[in-house]
Amino acid sequence: IYDGFTPQSLHDIATEMEEAFPRAFDQGRHSLNMAWAYKYDSSLQRGIKLHVDEAAVNANFWLTENDNEASTGKKAGDWGVDGGNDPHEFDHDLGGMVVFRQEPPLGTPRERYNNEGMDHGAKRRELDSSGYGSVNVKHRANRLVLFKSNLWHMTAVNMAFRKGYKNRRINFTLLFGQR
């Protein structure tokens, strides 16, 4: 956050969040240390795979608007779903995230929990059968998802947004403190 895209508004958002949720940010001890955003073409990308971030607090929010296009009768070919072959109409409940109520043990090497090459399917099955459960958060514009950053999390499996650059899902992530 010290070079690249670092507008004052980003720091203002972080400061306001810290003030609004002092317990979550450990009374100011967890300050902003990393930020990024992704803009997805849902016909090409499936979001972020299962992982853990190296921070104390994770703040995710979505900037993509909620619209009422699903009621127009447009089919998946008009939306960025599986190359347009999905028979379902657009559903705004898609495109959120899943946060599992489990974290790697302290001291686990980074390559074990944040590795593109890990067996994501096996880890997902392990988490699903652990008994700890998960929270499925539906996509909504300007929805903030605030959670302990070292919990396993991922983009929801189903992600579908209308075709076109301006309709792509935008996910913004802010990380605070250290794991």
Side-chain angles (χ1 to χ4, degrees):
I1 64 167
Y2 302 106
D3 59 5
F5 181 70
T6 59
Q8 183 59 44
S9 58
L10 174 66
H11 296 281
D12 293 344
I13 290 169
T15 299
E16 289 179 22
M17 287 174 54
E18 291 172 39
E19 291 170 356
F21 305 105
R23 288 183 53 208
F25 295 97
D26 199 14
Q27 309 301 331
R29 287 189 277 280
H30 299 313
S31 58
L32 181 66
N33 69 34
M34 183 74 66
W36 62 79
Y38 290 104
K39 187 165 187 164
Y40 299 93
D41 179 340
S42 58
S43 67
L44 301 174
Q45 299 156 312
R46 295 290 176 218
I48 302 298
K49 293 180 180 181
L50 188 60
H51 69 286
V52 172
D53 289 313
E54 296 184 39
V57 180
N58 187 313
N60 266 262
F61 55 95
W62 299 292
L63 302 178
T64 309
E65 291 296 323
N66 300 326
D67 59 21
N68 295 321
E69 295 292 335
S71 64
T72 65
K74 291 183 179 182
K75 298 296 180 193
D78 298 323
W79 307 88
V81 184
D82 295 330
N85 297 321
D86 191 308
H88 304 292
E89 290 184 350
F90 178 73
D91 182 350
H92 282 290
D93 290 344
L94 305 176
M97 70 184 301
V98 180
V99 180
F100 294 87
R101 294 182 171 124
Q102 188 172 354
E103 59 189 91
L106 282 176
T108 302
R110 182 180 193 277
E111 60 272 7
R112 299 279 312 267
Y113 60 78
N114 200 346
N115 181 346
E116 185 66 29
M118 74 179 202
D119 187 341
H120 290 87
K123 177 48 85 174
R124 174 72 191 262
R125 288 187 295 278
E126 177 188 322
L127 291 169
D128 285 340
S129 66
S130 72
Y132 289 103
S134 62
V135 177
N136 293 303
V137 183
K138 297 177 180 181
H139 171 273
R140 294 290 182 268
N142 296 318
R143 174 170 279 172
L144 172 65
V145 184
L146 191 65
F147 59 96
K148 187 176 180 180
S149 193
N150 47 326
L151 292 173
W152 289 97
H153 57 282
M154 60 186 260
T155 302
V157 174
N158 297 315
M159 184 171 71
F161 290 85
R162 289 187 341 157
K163 288 182 179 179
Y165 186 76
K166 71 177 186 164
N167 299 312
R168 292 180 179 177
R169 176 186 187 265
I170 302 172
N171 180 85
F172 209 101
T173 300
L174 303 177
L175 298 182
F176 298 81
Q178 298 295 319
R179 179 177 197 275

